[in-house]
Amino acid sequence: MSAHDQLVVYLCEITRLLWRLLLPLLLLCVLLVAVLVLLVLAVRLWLQSSRNARRAREGRPTVAFFHPYCNAGGGGERVLWCAIRALQSRYADVNFVVYTGDLGVTGQQILEGARQRFNIVLPRPVRFVFLQHRVLVEPGLFPHFTLLGQSVGSIFLGWEALTELVPDLYIDSMGYAFTLPLFRYLGGCSVGSYVHYPTISTDMLSVVRERNPRFNNPDFISNSLFLSAFKLVYYCLFAVLYGMAGSCSDVIMVNSSWTLDHILSLWRSPNRTSVVYPPCDVGAFLDIPLEEDGDRRCHSIVSIGQFRPEKDHRLQIGAFKKVLDRRRERSGFREGLKLVLMGGCRNQEDEDRVLMLRGLCQELGVADRVEFKLNVSFEELKRQMSEATIGLHTMWNEHFGIGVVECMAAGKVILAHKSGGPKLDIVRPFDGGQTGFLAEDEDSYAEAIEKILALPPDSRLQIRRNARQSVSRFSDQEFEACFLAAMEPLMGTLER
């Protein structure tokens, strides 16, 4: 028998063996799928029995918010507390729960922090469910494949929350979309979401595709064709999974026109999606007087925002350095200038970032002109705002920009990034008048700051007046009305 004939015989034998194994393999797959389905049904029945027992014990439905960082001081936390306040005022016969990972504080301390930072007092107490494994969603745990790691971690953290308490209505208020199918299909809950910022966006895909360096696209990736192609495939696959998870939401609220465009392209649920601008405490800043500032001997530039990498405080310090250098080159300038960076630190990583920024200020020789104000009270925030001339914002593609609105309500000349919510929704002409300035990089920011300071005091005053009048559409009252309208279909499903 020739070698060719032997090869044919061997191939025939292998084919017969595979054919004989095909039926057992199919039966095994069917068995495994059946076991998985039964397991899911058993878990669902167990969770629903837990919810029914709680309902029988409490006699009223429960609405739960998933917000692992509820004790932070950012715009997302302001949305959380205003949302709960609005629902509590409307629905007196409903219990409210917050899933949080803030283990170092009590529930009362969290509520007191909301009062101090945001001037928000809830009509009645809420229950806090303290989650032990928030580290699973910390970006530091995943130095590579961070988006995927945090999303998988959020599923496990969501499972912990679900097993601790099964609500009737679940609301993801912090952007953990992969918890939505968990609560909907295993917990049997109605689910809603308030999206501040899509976990992945078409803009992020464009950055990788065009190989542009950013804080989330470092140089060693953007400089490599292979790594950029690999990351682009990873992002595309993740975007598909993200869209599937988000589409499980019964009601979808987004915080800006920019976020709306991206969520519609990813989640593809236009009939369930609406824009609900986040609440800004506009009224609390109206008592800051609008007066000409031409006699000021020192102009203050104030920045409001958590110390996260995407806020790009490095850009603020770099632009400030360029302004100081240009002013030193000219003789005869009299006004002093300082930069005040105010914001919250969520964790040790944020605190380390502040140390790095302080080191940058020392390196650039501007440490004596830059002040850091961490986790300040609402009273201190207002005091700093009242003394400032310019409000500064530098985040690329900021989803909305509560700090931008607050600066405008306080009557500051706002200088924001020319992208995202500030460009599309906030720093817009009002009655034909200018409301602020937009910039993109260190040079354009430095030029805008110089332009603002060079304006006659009466021109600056008119811009400040326009800005204050334009932000009334972002008030707490507007948010509550729109939020309650969006939530009404879900709240109507609760059995009381």
Side-chain angles (χ1 to χ4, degrees):
M1 183 181 292
S2 66
H4 177 268
D5 293 336
Q6 288 180 342
L7 179 61
V8 171
V9 171
Y10 290 148
L11 289 177
C12 290
E13 290 297 327
I14 292 174
T15 304
R16 289 192 191 99
L17 177 62
L18 292 176
W19 179 254
R20 289 170 185 168
L21 292 175
L22 179 61
L23 183 58
L25 286 174
L26 288 176
L27 291 175
L28 180 61
C29 290
V30 171
L31 179 62
L32 290 175
V33 171
V35 170
L36 181 60
V37 170
L38 289 175
L39 180 62
V40 169
L41 290 175
V43 171
R44 181 183 171 97
L45 288 174
W46 170 61
L47 292 172
Q48 288 184 341
S49 65
S50 174
R51 181 178 61 199
N52 293 336
R54 175 190 53 75
R55 281 292 300 270
R57 186 173 60 252
E58 298 176 355
R60 56 174 62 185
T62 295
V63 175
F65 287 79
F66 189 77
H67 208 103
Y69 295 90
C70 73
N71 197 40
E77 288 66 57
R78 180 168 181 79
V79 169
L80 170 69
W81 301 121
C82 283
I84 294 177
R85 181 177 63 185
L87 290 173
Q88 283 188 334
S89 299
R90 172 71 65 86
Y91 302 99
D93 56 345
V94 176
N95 290 334
F96 293 91
V97 169
V98 177
Y99 298 115
T100 179
D102 296 300
L103 301 179
V105 292
T106 65
Q108 187 58 42
Q109 288 173 325
I110 292 175
L111 295 177
E112 178 61 21
R115 185 194 67 79
Q116 291 182 354
R117 296 186 187 113
F118 307 118
N119 199 29
I120 295 175
V121 178
L122 299 183
R124 60 182 189 275
V126 298
R127 175 182 171 185
F128 291 91
V129 174
F130 291 92
L131 307 177
Q132 303 297 316
H133 301 96
R134 190 179 70 180
V135 66
L136 294 175
V137 297
E138 294 279 355
L141 188 64
F142 310 101
H144 306 292
F145 299 97
T146 308
L147 294 182
L148 181 61
Q150 286 184 288
S151 297
V152 173
S154 72
I155 296 174
F156 286 98
L157 190 64
W159 172 251
E160 180 187 352
L162 186 58
T163 54
E164 288 289 331
L165 183 141
V166 185
D168 299 276
L169 170 57
Y170 170 79
I171 302 172
D172 166 39
S173 55
M174 206 173 174
Y176 294 105
F178 286 86
T179 63
L180 296 171
L182 186 70
F183 277 81
R184 177 169 184 173
Y185 296 117
L186 284 184
C189 311
S190 299
V191 295
S193 56
Y194 188 96
V195 184
H196 299 274
Y197 194 87
T199 304
I200 192 167
S201 67
T202 52
D203 288 337
M204 293 169 65
L205 295 174
S206 298
V207 166
V208 178
R209 186 182 298 111
E210 297 168 7
R211 299 172 64 187
N212 292 329
R214 294 277 183 179
F215 78 91
N216 57 354
N217 193 46
D219 290 340
F220 78 91
I221 291 180
S222 62
N223 291 334
S224 168
L225 180 61
F226 172 76
L227 291 178
S228 293
F230 180 81
K231 186 172 183 177
L232 183 61
V233 172
Y234 159 55
Y235 268 14
C236 289
L237 293 175
F238 182 84
V240 172
L241 295 176
Y242 179 66
M244 293 172 61
S247 63
C248 295
S249 187
D250 297 305
V251 168
I252 305 164
M253 294 166 280
V254 299
N255 66 345
S256 69
S257 301
W258 181 87
T259 307
L260 175 67
D261 292 341
H262 289 281
I263 289 299
L264 288 180
S265 67
L266 291 166
W267 292 12
R268 302 183 183 278
S269 304
N271 296 331
R272 289 174 278 153
T273 307
S274 59
V275 176
V276 178
Y277 289 126
C280 306
D281 196 5
V282 174
F285 296 97
L286 296 182
D287 58 352
I288 297 178
L290 281 177
E291 301 171 344
E292 288 193 3
D293 54 8
D295 57 347
R296 284 187 178 175
R297 302 190 64 180
C298 179
H299 287 287
S300 171
I301 303 172
V302 65
S303 165
I304 304 174
Q306 288 182 327
F307 287 96
R308 306 201 307 260
E310 61 268 28
K311 295 298 183 180
D312 207 351
H313 291 90
R314 293 178 62 92
L315 174 56
Q316 299 179 5
I317 295 170
F320 182 68
K321 162 70 172 173
K322 288 191 174 184
V323 173
L324 292 179
D325 289 345
R326 293 175 184 180
R327 288 166 69 87
R328 288 193 185 103
E329 291 173 1
R330 304 190 193 101
S331 59
F333 75 86
R334 296 185 180 127
E335 304 97 339
L337 194 62
K338 68 176 181 178
L339 174 63
V340 181
L341 305 179
M342 291 191 295
C345 287
R346 303 164 298 170
N347 47 37
Q348 185 61 46
E349 187 177 354
D350 287 353
E351 293 177 5
D352 292 342
R353 189 170 296 108
V354 172
L355 290 177
M356 181 273 295
L357 292 172
R358 291 183 187 273
L360 178 63
C361 292
Q362 292 283 355
E363 179 184 334
L364 296 179
V366 297
D368 60 328
R369 299 289 194 103
V370 180
E371 298 178 10
F372 290 83
K373 305 287 184 179
L374 310 181
N375 301 318
V376 300
S377 66
F378 185 74
E379 290 74 17
E380 174 66 10
L381 173 69
K382 283 188 65 175
R383 189 182 72 80
Q384 292 291 337
M385 295 273 272
S386 66
E387 297 175 357
T389 301
I390 299 173
L392 187 61
H393 163 276
T394 50
M395 178 177 170
W396 172 72
N397 273 344
E398 171 79 88
H399 38 89
F400 179 70
I402 288 182
V404 175
V405 173
E406 290 178 342
C407 286
M408 295 170 71
K412 307 299 107 179
V413 180
I414 189 67
L415 172 55
H417 199 281
K418 193 177 182 180
S419 63
K423 177 184 177 182
L424 297 176
D425 292 312
I426 304 175
V427 188
R428 308 282 297 170
F430 178 77
D431 286 346
Q434 186 176 4
T435 58
F437 295 80
L438 299 170
E440 297 179 277
D441 51 31
E442 283 189 9
D443 288 328
S444 59
Y445 269 97
E447 291 171 5
I449 291 172
E450 290 190 289
K451 182 177 180 179
I452 293 169
L453 296 176
L455 287 173
D458 60 333
S459 297
R460 275 201 302 266
L461 181 60
Q462 186 57 51
I463 294 174
R464 293 160 57 200
R465 283 174 178 159
N466 294 339
R468 174 173 282 186
Q469 293 173 12
S470 73
V471 296
S472 59
R473 65 192 188 280
F474 305 125
S475 66
D476 286 1
Q477 294 75 22
E478 286 292 324
F479 167 80
E480 291 183 3
C482 295
F483 180 79
L484 289 173
M487 285 292 296
E488 190 171 359
L490 281 184
M491 297 301 293
T493 65
L494 297 179
E495 296 179 5
R496 297 180 178 83

